[in-house]
Amino acid sequence: MNALPLSGRKAIVTGSARGIGYAIAERLLQSGASVCLWDVDAEALGQAQAVLSPLGEVATAQVDVTSAESTEAAAQKTLDALGKIDLLVNNAGIAGNNAKTWELRPEDWRRVMDINLTGSFLCCRAVIPHLLANGYGRIVNVASVAGKEGNPNAAHYSASKAGVIALTKSLGKELATSNILVNCITPAVIETDILLQMTQAHIDYMLSKIPMGRFGQKHEAAALVAWLCSEECSFTTGAVFDLSGGRATY
């Protein structure tokens, strides 16, 4: 593992009680950052904190990313616990069910949009004022290759992740002169429990699209995010970083 200069940095990682978010939090801690884990699952948060605490300072906040009040309260709790906020990783998300677009229930569409896209917006809205006060910040949004290409039978997920990409581009331009950089990653499938939300046919389809012939690993996503959170990422903002095994090279 390459060492990254994150000592003294205070980070928020959403959806970090398990999966990619947990791996990202672990990598940031290994690089010297303090981390506040944000997740809706209080029990899983406690378990993650217990395992990760030997690596460094770990705080937690139970948060519903679809609620402005909840994200604002979590930001204040993080500030109280860590003293400041430097880094925000918007990872919380769901895949939703698989269905043809016209067969999706409106409530299924709204839930995926609310968590994946509106959740990222609300977390940015709650945290950016603190980054501006510091005069420094790094924001990394976890989008998806589906947001570039559009996966069949997953229009709600694809549209939400395309929205995350556009949010990243807009924020990057708005904050370009504020020493706050905003970038996103677009993974293909990473092996996590999110696969349990998908049909086997959809999983097989996504694997067939990856030239490397395998799914990504959590530590690979965490390594890219950690670099984007570092000061070494200094002249890139509003950008989209591929993590798709060669599927989407644009």
Side-chain angles (χ1 to χ4, degrees):
M1 186 188 79
N2 292 328
L4 290 167
L6 296 180
S7 180
R9 295 300 182 193
K10 312 296 184 178
I12 292 167
V13 183
T14 73
S16 48
R18 57 176 62 82
I20 298 173
Y22 179 95
I24 291 169
E26 181 179 45
R27 182 61 185 264
L28 296 183
L29 285 162
Q30 290 169 335
S31 295
S34 300
V35 178
C36 189
L37 311 175
W38 285 21
D39 205 283
V40 72
D41 188 333
E43 182 178 357
L45 271 176
Q47 294 170 350
Q49 183 181 34
V51 176
L52 291 174
S53 287
L55 298 176
E57 184 179 19
V58 181
T60 66
Q62 185 180 12
V63 57
D64 173 5
V65 298
T66 70
S67 163
E69 293 77 12
S70 184
T71 54
E72 289 167 8
Q76 186 58 54
K77 183 176 182 180
T78 303
L79 195 63
D80 294 341
L82 302 184
K84 65 172 181 171
I85 303 171
D86 300 299
L87 315 172
L88 169 63
V89 181
N90 283 310
N91 165 76
I94 62 170
N97 59 322
N98 294 128
K100 300 294 185 185
T101 302
W102 59 92
E103 295 173 350
L104 286 169
R105 298 181 304 170
E107 55 266 35
D108 293 333
W109 174 277
R110 292 189 186 100
R111 176 165 170 75
V112 171
M113 284 293 197
D114 283 348
I115 294 174
N116 294 359
L117 179 54
T118 302
S120 295
F121 157 69
L122 289 175
C123 290
C124 287
R125 179 177 176 273
V127 170
I128 286 172
H130 301 292
L131 303 182
L132 288 168
N134 293 342
Y136 177 88
R138 298 288 186 270
I139 299 172
V140 182
N141 297 320
V142 178
S144 169
V145 67
K148 288 182 172 185
E149 297 194 346
N151 282 341
N153 303 311
H156 47 358
Y157 181 78
S158 301
S160 71
K161 292 302 188 177
V164 170
I165 293 171
L167 173 65
T168 299
K169 293 177 179 292
S170 294
L171 268 177
K173 292 172 181 176
E174 291 169 355
L175 295 168
T177 60
S178 301
N179 200 27
I180 300 169
L181 307 185
V182 188
N183 295 292
C184 73
I185 65 170
T186 52
V189 180
I190 304 294
E191 283 192 304
T192 70
D193 288 345
I194 201 169
L195 294 179
L196 299 176
Q197 301 176 29
M198 305 174 188
T199 65
Q200 187 60 48
H202 192 67
I203 293 170
D204 293 342
Y205 163 79
M206 291 187 294
L207 181 60
S208 73
K209 299 285 286 184
I210 300 174
M212 283 190 180
R214 68 171 177 88
F215 292 140
Q217 300 300 309
K218 291 177 285 188
H219 72 271
E220 293 174 313
L224 180 54
V225 171
W227 180 76
L228 291 170
C229 284
S230 75
E231 292 182 62
E232 290 186 353
C233 178
S234 57
F235 195 55
T236 300
T237 196
V240 182
F241 286 78
D242 182 62
L243 192 71
S244 69
R247 173 176 170 180
T249 53
Y250 62 92

